[in-house]
Amino acid sequence: MNICVVKMRPSVSRSIVSAAASIKRAPGDTQNKCQEVKPFLQIPGPVALPLIGSVWKYILPGPNRYDPERLHEVACQKYDEFGPLVRETLPDGSGLLSVFDPDDVQSFLLQTRIRPDRRSHLALQKYRLDRPHMYSSGGLLPSNGEDWLRLRRPSQAVFGRPDVVASRLPQVDQIVRDFISLLRALRTADLQVPDLLHRIKMMNMEVMLMVLFGERFGCVTERPSAQCSALMEAGGRSTRAIFKTDNGPLRLYRYVSTPLYRQLVDSQDYIYSVAKQKYEEAKSRKGSEEAPSGGGTTVLEGLMRAQQLGEREVMGLLCDALMAGVDTTSYALAFALYHLACNSGPQQRLADETHALMATSHGRVTEDVLRAAKYTRAALKESMRLIPISIGIGRINYSPILLRGYHIPAGTTIVSMNQHIGSNPLYFRDPEAFRPERFLEDSAELHHSHALLPFGQGSRMCIARSIARQAVHTTLLHMVNNFTLKWHGPKLGCKVRLINEPDAPLSLSFTDREVKASVSPQPAG
């Protein structure tokens, strides 16, 4: 496995101070041994320079430079040099705190749970706030406080509804079966599929469009539709622009229209145009007998019925889903396929589970199959332990908190290092090994509740996590039911482009497996 193996460190005293007069003890600060509160500046970390803070570590050349595209490796550097709590300084003078102990992760997430603010997608926020005729706020991704809460409550009620997600499972299952047929058609003589990651993204784009709008767009074909290709390109260009503008030291886009910001604008304009078209079509269907294919409520219909959401709010939510939902699901699936392809034992056990379950459902993935697919769920969880969607969870504390005896001033960006925690032998036995068994109910291994948080935590968890899990589990079941997977490339790692993505092409071969449960592919609907 291409992961950082964490060095064992001596145990560190876990005494946390009682509250100082100026700081109210927060619910997450559960340890109550009394000692003097230590100032924030005593937390170890790299030296800060005038004007740019600690950012010089990420931009200046040198043997110990922090690579912003290899933040999981940067986490190892920080931990080895400074320990389980690392302080940095951002260019605006505020603090950045990296947290490497799951006890401390639990503590700061509890202490910030009332107002789970975070710092991300800042250029996207500017784009939307500059267009009040299109959007009412920055949207779910960059917004904080009341603006975020006004969107989150009614939208969560839609994205989490069983009749929205589960009712689309037959269509999602059909999309995945069409994808299996497409892989067979695209295989070369060595049984590999050229540009496999792009094909996986196209499949997940089709899934997302089906759940959002209730219709197929032609993404799962040898030659995807122009609209699918343009949407995919717009989402990727948006993500790359947001990553670079969020992490730039000067954020010049706030004052002048930089090339990166124009890239974001052009991409977001296109995503908005597609969402707007579908919104208008849904509005025209209201009151008529015409409905999207497949039955059940679509996400768009659910959002339009929510009394707290107007057109501008709905448009922002649709654009968020189209931009953020496809890549996250695709990369999670890609890493899971990689880990299964490299580990024949777990792959065979998953195949045994898959054959048994699919034999009872005539080769289709149903709600009953998903509920019973325990090893499939464990395999995805284990893959996300090794390479999660992101390195961890970020929060900005609205008021001062206490952590490890240190006073953490308000406005500090606090980030959990869950990818590092997942590879640390203090928290996971044999952390380099891919062993889904560790997450089965009958496993003797116990894991900290905050060591693995692949979809976030608390009220700011990934809003589309049910859609993502359904898509990935369905695809894994069909993949292993139909193919024996084998990896032919070098060890696969990850690079950060807002989220973790594969750092090399997917060199997988797909050998037809003797399938015990199969159905003939149905025409796309």
Side-chain angles (χ1 to χ4, degrees):
M1 299 301 160
N2 189 18
I3 59 174
C4 169
V5 181
V6 179
K7 299 176 183 177
M8 297 284 285
R9 296 184 57 82
S11 60
V12 182
S13 172
R14 307 318 312 271
S15 298
I16 301 296
V17 301
S18 59
S22 60
I23 308 175
K24 183 181 293 186
R25 175 171 294 280
D29 187 24
T30 56
Q31 300 174 1
N32 55 16
K33 296 182 180 179
C34 293
Q35 68 180 50
E36 183 181 356
V37 175
K38 293 174 284 188
F40 182 66
L41 292 179
Q42 284 189 8
I43 299 175
V47 173
L49 300 180
L51 299 179
I52 62 172
S54 307
V55 173
W56 68 272
K57 288 285 290 183
Y58 298 85
I59 58 178
L60 297 182
N64 296 315
R65 174 181 177 265
Y66 292 168
D67 186 345
E69 289 193 354
R70 302 279 178 178
L71 292 180
H72 56 295
E73 296 174 2
V74 172
C76 292
Q77 293 174 255
K78 292 179 184 178
Y79 183 83
D80 290 343
E81 184 174 0
F82 301 112
L85 209 59
V86 181
R87 176 185 56 82
E88 296 171 74
T89 304
L90 298 174
D92 63 3
S94 63
L96 170 64
L97 195 64
S98 298
V99 181
F100 291 84
D101 187 308
D103 281 344
D104 297 331
V105 172
Q106 182 177 24
S107 178
F108 89 73
L109 288 174
L110 278 171
Q111 294 183 72
T112 57
R113 75 188 189 282
I114 302 301
R115 182 168 170 168
D117 292 354
R118 68 181 188 184
R119 178 190 179 274
S120 69
H121 297 74
L122 301 180
L124 177 64
Q125 183 175 43
K126 171 180 166 50
Y127 164 82
R128 291 183 176 173
L129 294 180
D130 286 348
R131 291 159 177 78
H133 61 291
M134 296 163 61
Y135 304 98
S136 63
S137 70
L140 271 182
L141 297 173
S143 294
N144 290 311
E146 289 300 318
D147 286 342
W148 170 79
L149 196 58
R150 278 193 294 268
L151 281 175
R152 179 71 187 209
R153 282 175 174 166
S155 58
Q156 179 62 56
V158 175
F159 278 90
R161 278 171 51 183
D163 64 327
V164 172
V165 179
S167 68
R168 292 291 156 186
L169 179 56
Q171 289 77 43
V172 172
D173 180 66
Q174 181 63 60
I175 290 169
V176 176
R177 286 188 284 127
D178 291 345
F179 182 62
I180 296 296
S181 297
L182 179 62
L183 293 181
R184 286 197 167 99
L186 293 174
R187 284 184 300 187
T188 57
D190 60 1
L191 301 179
Q192 297 190 42
V193 175
D195 206 5
L196 177 59
L197 183 58
H198 178 74
R199 295 292 180 176
I200 288 174
K201 288 184 178 183
M202 280 294 181
M203 182 203 68
N204 282 303
M205 173 67 76
E206 189 86 321
V207 168
M208 181 59 71
L209 292 167
M210 171 57 72
V211 177
L212 291 179
F213 305 124
E215 60 183 278
R216 296 287 294 264
F217 277 63
C219 302
V220 187
T221 64
E222 290 194 39
R223 295 186 177 181
S225 70
Q227 189 175 55
C228 286
S229 298
L231 266 176
M232 183 66 65
E233 177 65 17
R237 284 170 59 83
S238 290
T239 299
R240 291 189 293 272
I242 290 169
F243 171 69
K244 291 180 179 178
T245 51
D246 268 5
N247 293 281
L250 300 178
R251 289 164 45 199
L252 293 176
Y253 68 86
R254 294 177 296 172
Y255 313 107
V256 296
S257 182
T258 63
L260 273 176
Y261 186 69
R262 290 195 296 273
Q263 174 180 315
L264 175 66
V265 170
D266 292 344
S267 301
Q268 286 295 305
D269 282 350
Y270 181 76
I271 293 173
Y272 179 90
S273 71
V274 174
K276 179 69 170 177
Q277 177 188 346
K278 294 303 166 185
Y279 181 90
E280 293 299 332
E281 290 175 5
K283 192 164 64 170
S284 68
R285 287 196 302 265
K286 233 176 179 182
S288 72
E289 295 182 0
E290 185 183 356
S293 63
T297 301
T298 66
V299 167
L300 173 55
E301 290 170 337
L303 294 175
M304 291 176 70
R305 292 171 187 167
Q307 294 183 355
Q308 307 96 317
L309 300 175
E311 178 179 336
R312 295 183 301 158
E313 289 80 16
V314 172
M315 292 302 303
L317 291 164
L318 293 176
C319 292
D320 284 345
L322 288 172
M323 180 187 70
V326 175
D327 281 356
T328 51
T329 306
S330 299
Y331 297 150
L333 174 59
F335 287 124
L337 293 173
Y338 162 70
H339 288 125
L340 287 167
C342 291
N343 294 273
S344 58
Q347 183 181 164
Q348 185 58 52
R349 181 164 179 181
L350 178 56
D352 292 342
E353 175 180 85
T354 300
H355 292 334
L357 293 175
M358 304 282 263
T360 66
S361 65
H362 306 289
R364 289 176 169 83
V365 174
T366 64
E367 290 184 65
D368 288 340
V369 168
L370 288 179
R371 276 192 291 269
K374 296 180 180 179
Y375 197 80
T376 306
R377 292 195 295 273
L380 176 59
K381 201 169 184 179
E382 174 71 341
S383 177
M384 297 180 86
R385 175 187 70 83
L386 291 167
I387 308 181
I389 294 171
S390 66
I391 60 166
I393 301 170
R395 292 287 186 268
I396 299 176
N397 55 320
Y398 179 69
S399 58
I401 65 172
L402 292 170
L403 201 61
R404 275 187 177 262
Y406 293 100
H407 166 260
I408 312 300
T412 301
T413 300
I414 311 171
V415 183
S416 65
M417 294 289 108
N418 287 97
Q419 185 168 358
H420 185 276
I421 291 170
S423 66
N424 192 330
L426 287 172
Y427 310 115
F428 290 95
R429 182 167 61 86
D430 195 12
E432 290 185 89
F434 179 75
R435 291 195 301 103
E437 290 79 7
R438 73 173 86 234
F439 290 114
L440 294 176
E441 292 178 359
D442 59 358
S443 172
E445 293 186 40
L446 297 177
H447 307 112
H448 196 289
S449 61
H450 285 65
L452 181 65
L453 302 170
F455 292 100
Q457 191 270 349
S459 60
R460 200 139 196 174
M461 289 181 73
C462 170
I463 195 169
R465 60 191 179 277
S466 297
I467 299 172
R469 286 195 187 106
Q470 178 176 274
V472 176
H473 291 154
T474 300
T475 308
L476 289 178
L477 286 162
H478 276 297
M479 282 281 201
V480 177
N481 193 48
N482 282 273
F483 302 119
T484 297
L485 308 174
K486 187 174 180 180
W487 181 254
H488 296 273
K491 289 183 179 179
L492 188 66
C494 64
K495 57 185 176 183
V496 178
R497 298 281 175 82
L498 200 61
I499 56 176
N500 284 335
E501 63 180 65
D503 64 357
L506 298 184
S507 299
L508 280 166
S509 65
F510 298 86
T511 302
D512 288 331
R513 190 186 290 273
E514 182 182 350
V515 183
K516 299 179 181 179
S518 63
V519 293
S520 299
Q522 301 296 315

